Amino acid sequence: MNTSGPAAGEGLRLVAFRGLRYVPERVGSLAAVTSPPYDVVVRPDGLHHLESADPHNIVRLILPQAGTAAARHRQAADTLKRWLAEGVLAPDPVPVLYVYEQRAGDILQRGVIGALALSPASEGVVLPHEDVMADVVEDRADLMRTAAAHLEPLLLSYAGDGGPGGTTAVIERVVERPPLLTTTTEDGFSHRLWAVSDPAERAEIEADLSHRQALIADGHHRWATYLRLQREQSVPGPWDFGLVLLVDTARYPLRVRAIHRLLHRLPVAQALRALDGRFRVREIEGPLPRGLDALTEAAAEGNAFLLAGDGRFHLVDRPDGDLLSRTVRADRPAAWRALDATVLHSTLLDHVWRIPDAPEHIAYIHDTAAAVEQAERHNATAVLMHPVGEDVVRDLARQGVTMPRKSTSFGPKPATGLVLRTLDTD
């Protein structure tokens, strides 16, 4: 693992591509055809809501519905071809890079969308920080292979140097021009997109990024899918690149949120009994914001979790030191051993509760209130997590150490459906 960062010419290689975009005149509105990333859509309620928003909502491509995986992926490919034939989607006439802006209240994020040359983690150019599950990668690979398309960009972050030129300077010039599109989604975020077609500006971006190192902020399974599909090819071609959004977090810091766990088959009372003597457990009066405040305060002192599902909140902290020594791997850095996600998976799930990390036992939910509501509805346990800092994530990634999957949620995430990349067009 190259932990020092790449030299000039050995870093990120971002190239222009012919983006595939919705034709505004053929859809109800751009907002109605967009979606969050596939793994953020809360199924089934969120899926049905998006499907009913517009008959051409992008969710029909990223989360197609059919009886088998093969049928779902074939359906997505057929839908994509039909929308192209009908003029619902159309490729831009020439290859470009895209500047993308998201804004809501005091949140402003800008970055550049392009096709990024793929590289394994061992090269130290694109750093993963979370483990992935083979079945998810296999599913995404089958979908991408069948549709011959990258349907949503990954979110990658890098640290710019604040100089007078380079990628961020180009972005801030471009946003003064009329955008290709503008829309506001129901979450209150406004989205704007510009094309960077000027060769000099594209060269400035490419030169700046050529010595940068990026962290995968969101999209580990899709990045692993890109690499898997690249390995299947016998000759160089479009599969050597993947669709990404790159954000300079020195200029536009990302927000880091936790991803919560829903333990389908574990009632709260049973979870609490198993903790007796192993962790400190205290009941916290609601509402939810008060419970989260207590979690934040406890997390400043060490590992802490908030359990919900029985109409109350239970703060779980101060794990027994001997228990941690027996259950947490000793061959990892101290920062990894201290992660809440590490203790949750190694100690609580594997040892105390003995729950396998499989979809029938655990769901991963981004929305805190939704996690609590589902736990209460199904007599399950929601484990609410405290977010980890980006500096910890980046430091571990540079050491080549991956965190337990779904340890972080970086955002704001790019809206799916504004720019696609087809392998046939590119």
Side-chain angles (χ1 to χ4, degrees):
M1 171 72 66
N2 177 5
T3 60
S4 61
E10 298 177 355
L12 302 168
R13 183 184 169 213
L14 192 72
V15 302
F17 70 105
R18 292 181 64 194
L20 190 66
R21 298 189 293 114
Y22 280 99
V23 178
E25 295 78 14
R26 299 302 307 273
V27 297
S29 72
L30 289 175
V33 295
T34 63
S35 163
Y38 80 98
D39 58 339
V40 180
V41 176
V42 179
R43 303 175 73 172
D45 296 344
L47 179 64
H48 294 158
H49 173 71
L50 292 165
E51 286 181 328
S52 62
D54 189 283
H56 301 108
N57 189 282
I58 192 68
V59 77
R60 286 180 166 80
L61 300 184
I62 62 171
L63 288 172
Q65 299 302 292
T68 66
R72 290 195 298 270
H73 303 149
R74 186 71 261 161
Q75 178 177 297
D78 291 343
T79 300
L80 177 58
K81 289 179 181 177
R82 185 174 71 254
W83 289 356
L84 282 165
E86 294 172 351
V88 174
L89 289 166
D92 282 328
V94 296
V96 296
L97 297 174
Y98 297 89
V99 167
Y100 176 49
E101 176 190 274
Q102 295 167 275
R103 184 192 296 265
D106 60 355
I107 299 171
L108 174 63
Q109 179 173 288
R110 291 170 175 158
V112 59
I113 295 175
L116 183 68
L118 305 181
S119 60
S122 59
E123 293 185 6
V125 176
V126 176
L127 304 176
H129 70 269
E130 289 184 356
D131 294 330
V132 297
M133 293 192 72
D135 60 332
V136 178
V137 174
E138 182 177 0
D139 178 77
R140 290 292 104 182
D142 287 344
L143 174 60
M144 287 187 200
R145 187 188 301 110
T146 305
H150 295 158
L151 302 173
E152 45 189 338
L154 282 65
L155 175 61
L156 273 60
S157 72
Y158 71 97
D161 54 20
T167 304
T168 299
V170 172
I171 288 172
E172 295 184 358
R173 293 197 303 267
V174 168
V175 297
E176 298 300 320
R177 305 167 190 166
L180 285 175
L181 65 85
T182 180
T183 190
T184 300
T185 45
E186 64 180 10
D187 58 4
F189 273 88
S190 65
H191 307 262
R192 295 197 294 172
L193 191 75
W194 294 260
V196 183
S197 55
D198 180 82
E201 289 182 327
R202 281 168 39 188
E204 186 174 350
I205 291 173
E206 292 165 10
D208 175 52
L209 295 176
S210 69
H211 61 278
R212 305 283 183 204
Q213 181 183 60
L215 176 74
I216 300 176
D218 185 68
H220 283 81
H221 286 90
R222 283 168 284 160
W223 182 258
T225 299
Y226 288 169
L227 294 173
R228 173 173 174 166
L229 294 174
Q230 181 192 36
R231 290 193 296 269
E232 295 177 1
Q233 309 306 309
S234 57
V235 295
W239 293 101
D240 294 324
F241 297 81
L243 180 63
V244 305
L245 165 65
L246 277 162
V247 173
D248 174 4
T249 52
R251 178 65 179 86
Y252 300 104
L254 296 175
R255 294 178 299 162
V256 187
R257 292 180 173 178
I259 302 176
H260 311 296
R261 275 65 170 163
L262 178 66
L263 310 181
H264 296 300
R265 302 178 182 178
L266 182 69
V268 173
Q270 183 179 337
L272 294 175
R273 282 196 300 270
L275 295 175
D276 185 36
R278 297 170 166 179
F279 285 75
R280 183 176 70 169
V281 180
R282 292 175 289 159
E283 187 170 323
I284 304 296
E285 291 187 4
L288 177 58
R290 183 179 297 171
L292 294 176
D293 286 344
L295 175 61
T296 298
E297 182 177 343
E301 304 296 326
N303 300 119
F305 312 92
L306 192 67
L307 305 191
D310 61 352
R312 294 171 290 178
F313 298 101
H314 308 271
L315 184 65
V316 176
D317 64 354
R318 297 189 182 178
D320 177 75
D322 290 339
L323 175 65
L324 294 184
S325 297
R326 294 196 312 271
T327 57
V328 177
R329 291 176 56 172
D331 61 345
R332 295 292 182 94
W336 182 90
R337 292 171 54 82
L339 291 170
D340 287 338
T342 297
V343 173
L344 173 62
H345 284 263
S346 299
T347 304
L348 286 171
L349 295 177
D350 291 351
H351 182 81
V352 175
W353 293 328
R354 300 187 182 278
I355 295 176
D357 191 357
E360 61 268 27
H361 292 278
I362 303 176
Y364 293 83
I365 300 179
H366 292 72
D367 184 87
T368 309
V372 174
E373 188 273 332
Q374 290 192 38
E376 292 179 347
R377 184 194 304 176
H378 299 292
N379 191 29
T381 295
V383 182
L384 306 183
M385 309 283 288
H386 184 71
V388 63
E390 183 180 356
D391 55 339
V392 175
V393 175
R394 192 178 295 275
D395 182 59
L396 287 172
R398 283 177 172 157
Q399 297 179 61
V401 178
T402 54
M403 301 162 64
R405 73 187 189 94
K406 301 296 183 182
S407 293
T408 61
S409 176
F410 284 85
K413 305 178 191 301
T416 298
L418 296 181
V419 184
L420 291 66
R421 176 177 179 249
T422 65
L423 284 300
D424 296 333
T425 318
D426 208 22

